[in-house]
Structure formats: structure tokens, C-alpha cells
Amino acid sequence: LHNLRDGSKESEEAMKVKFQEEFKAGATRQKALRKQQSVLQSTLKSLKEKSNSLQKAVANLKAKLATIEKNLQRGSALVGRLSKVASARIEEVPETLKELPP
């Protein structure tokens, strides 16, 4: 009975030591995970800010593209009218020039 009690006490001590070791290891892992989470959250915030900035830049570029395309159409129309002037007979030039925008 005495040996059984001693064995039980030793087993209890071993379990206590093992628990403390595992608890300490878990606390260390938790601390590392929290630090990693903080870094990842910071990275996510930074990437969201960059994404917003890029979306604004894309919208700005789309607006500029629309303006360029509109100006290109106007220029193309003008070139078309000028080609009429260039291909017109001399006596038709004054009338053809009147059709050009100021």
C-alpha cells in the first residue's frame, strides 16, 4: 500500500511537471501567434490602403482615357474635313473651308 501511494505521488508530480512544461510551451506559442497576427493585420491594413489608392488611380486614368478618346474623335473628324479641303477643286475650297469649325 505504501509503494502504491509513493507511485501515485510520483505519477502526480510527473503529470504536474508535464502540465507546466506544456502550459509554458503553449503560452510561448500563443505569444508568437499574437505577434504574427499583429504583423499580418498591419500588412492587411497597408494593402487595403494601397488597393484604395490604386482604385482611385485607375478611375483617374479611365477618365483621362475617355477625354483622350473624345479628343481623338474630334481630331479624326477634323482630319476628315481637311482631307475634303485638300481634295476639293480650287473653286470649291472657299465653300469647303466654311464647313470647318473655327
Side-chain angles (χ1 to χ4, degrees), residues 34-51:
R34 287 191 189 273
K35 185 176 182 180
Q36 184 180 24
Q37 181 183 27
S38 176
V39 168
L40 290 172
Q41 286 174 336
S42 176
T43 302
L44 178 61
K45 181 182 177 186
S46 174
L47 289 175
K48 283 182 178 180
E49 289 170 356
K50 287 178 184 178
S51 175

Side-chain angles (χ1 to χ4, degrees), residues 21 26 32 34 36 39 44 56 59 68 70 79 89 93:
E21 289 172 354
R34 287 191 189 273
Q36 184 180 24
V39 168
L44 178 61
K56 288 177 185 176
I68 290 170
K70 187 177 178 182
V79 168
R89 291 183 295 171
V93 170

Side-chain angles (χ1 to χ4, degrees), residues 2 20 24 39 41 49 59 65 85 90 97:
H2 189 10
Q20 289 173 343
K24 186 176 180 181
V39 168
Q41 286 174 336
E49 289 170 356
L65 176 62
V85 172
I90 292 180
L97 285 174

Side-chain angles (χ1 to χ4, degrees), residues 1-14:
L1 193 60
H2 189 10
N3 287 342
L4 188 59
R5 200 178 314 151
D6 288 343
S8 175
K9 199 172 190 181
E10 288 174 9
S11 177
E12 188 177 318
E13 281 297 317

